[in-house]
Amino acid sequence: MSISQEFAYKERPDVLVLFDVDGTLTPARLTISDEVKETLAKLRKKVCIGFVGGSDLSKQIEQLGPNVLDEFDYSFSENGLTAYRLGVQQASQSFINWIGEEEYNKLAVFILKYLANLDLPKRRGTFLEFRNGMINVSPIGRNASTEERNEFEKYDKEHQIRAKFVEALKKEFPHLKLTYSIGGQISFDVFPTGWDKTYCLQHVEKDGFKEIHFFGDKTFEGGNDYEIYVDERTIGHSVSSPDDTVKILNELFNL
Ligand code: M1P
């Protein structure tokens, strides 16, 4: 398969480097630093670059900047359920079409009741977020401030709120082929099994890359970078922070 002419200006147009967002390009839910931005701009001259996160595009724009669709060759939100190539949106599926209104209603009612019965020190707003390719469930609520996020994360480590919630959902809905992923600080994602980050790889297939690198921080089993990190189509890099990402990129691509 020949490499697209649109990428011919790059030094190695047959190489793609994909990045997770939270913990890899930015600190969790925070914004990208100038150093990471500059590193990516240098890297993009050499190879194709893309990001793949669980969040929706509006949150990724908050984190990566308003011109994100122009600054990456590929932009993948919700694991690739919303996909852009060179700023042009690609066809995608939706969670609600997959699950259907009836089953979704049952799932949402169970979640809302479970949330109401949780013993928690603090509650904020937006506990169930409906997205194109998944739902996101947050016991404290997505409106929590950074400080409240940190507090919840600590509380959750101690009380296993999210892990127990996921177990209850698995027990209640064994017939639904759903994956529950605790990828961030205050919530977990729920999506059809297989719609993890590997989902985005179908959007890059026709560009015929010879090497696809993936950088992520939650590459351990159960983490939301695990499936794409171990996928045979990618070369996985496990990082501990955005600084670590920069360090590895400098070494690997001689920036
Ligand atoms: O990208 C990782 C996760 O980031 C957020 O998680 P939280 O709000 O819990 O820190 C969410 O956008 C989540 O969907 C995503 O997987």
Side-chain angles (χ1 to χ4, degrees):
M1 204 181 292
S2 68
I3 279 295
S4 164
Q5 278 310 301
E6 294 146 296
F7 300 136
Y9 72 94
K10 297 177 192 278
E11 262 177 44
R12 294 172 68 191
D14 57 357
V15 175
L16 170 65
V17 185
L18 289 172
F19 298 94
D20 159 56
V21 180
D22 283 301
T24 301
L25 292 181
T26 74
R29 293 298 298 124
L30 298 179
T31 51
I32 191 165
S33 69
D34 287 343
E35 193 195 7
V36 175
K37 262 192 149 179
E38 282 156 23
T39 305
L40 291 176
K42 279 193 245 166
L43 181 66
R44 196 181 180 195
K45 292 190 178 132
K46 298 199 166 192
V47 300
C48 293
I49 64 168
F51 66 85
V52 49
S55 295
D56 58 20
L57 183 59
S58 63
K59 296 196 187 70
Q60 291 168 333
I61 286 174
E62 277 168 31
Q63 289 180 267
L64 299 174
N67 304 321
V68 75
L69 296 181
D70 298 324
E71 289 169 356
F72 287 82
D73 299 298
Y74 290 97
S75 304
F76 296 126
S77 314
E78 301 185 44
N79 295 347
L81 265 295
T82 299
Y84 287 82
R85 178 185 180 276
L86 295 171
V88 178
Q89 188 158 16
Q90 312 289 296
S92 71
Q93 296 194 52
S94 78
F95 177 73
I96 193 66
N97 273 347
W98 177 87
I99 192 167
E101 291 296 351
E102 202 182 322
E103 285 292 357
Y104 177 60
N105 215 347
K106 288 183 199 157
L107 184 67
V109 167
F110 181 86
I111 289 170
L112 293 170
K113 283 187 182 162
Y114 191 98
L115 282 164
N117 288 319
L118 279 174
D119 188 16
L120 292 175
K122 277 188 187 174
R123 282 185 164 81
R124 293 297 176 257
T126 315
F127 304 100
L128 172 57
E129 187 171 79
F130 183 80
R131 300 178 180 169
N132 180 49
M134 65 175 73
I135 54 169
N136 177 267
V137 182
S138 174
I140 184 172
R142 302 211 55 77
N143 300 141
S145 65
T146 302
E147 199 188 330
E148 289 159 353
R149 285 180 152 268
N150 295 337
E151 281 169 19
F152 176 83
E153 195 179 22
K154 218 168 132 202
Y155 187 83
D156 187 50
K157 266 201 188 111
E158 203 182 317
H159 299 276
Q160 298 293 304
I161 303 289
R162 289 182 291 176
K164 287 180 192 161
F165 202 157
V166 165
E167 283 318 306
L169 281 162
K170 283 185 181 163
K171 202 168 154 221
E172 187 70 20
F173 299 98
H175 56 291
L176 295 181
K177 291 187 175 56
L178 288 169
T179 293
Y180 304 88
S181 169
I182 303 178
Q185 281 183 295
I186 57 158
S187 65
F188 59 89
D189 296 326
V190 184
F191 49 81
T193 300
W195 291 18
D196 50 61
K197 286 184 184 174
T198 58
Y199 188 93
C200 79
L201 296 175
Q202 63 189 273
H203 294 294
V204 307
E205 234 165 55
K206 63 178 181 320
D207 279 320
F209 293 106
K210 291 215 175 76
E211 267 178 38
I212 302 176
H213 294 258
F214 171 75
F215 285 70
D217 66 321
K218 299 216 169 49
T219 53
F220 47 86
E221 205 167 344
N224 66 352
D225 294 326
Y226 177 73
E227 291 86 357
I228 189 167
Y229 173 74
V230 298
D231 194 286
E232 59 185 21
R233 290 166 289 180
T234 67
I235 301 166
H237 305 272
S238 189
V239 301
S240 55
S241 65
D243 285 347
D244 197 26
T245 303
V246 169
K247 187 176 149 265
I248 299 174
L249 287 174
N250 282 327
E251 284 164 11
L252 210 58
F253 295 99
N254 228 345
L255 301 177

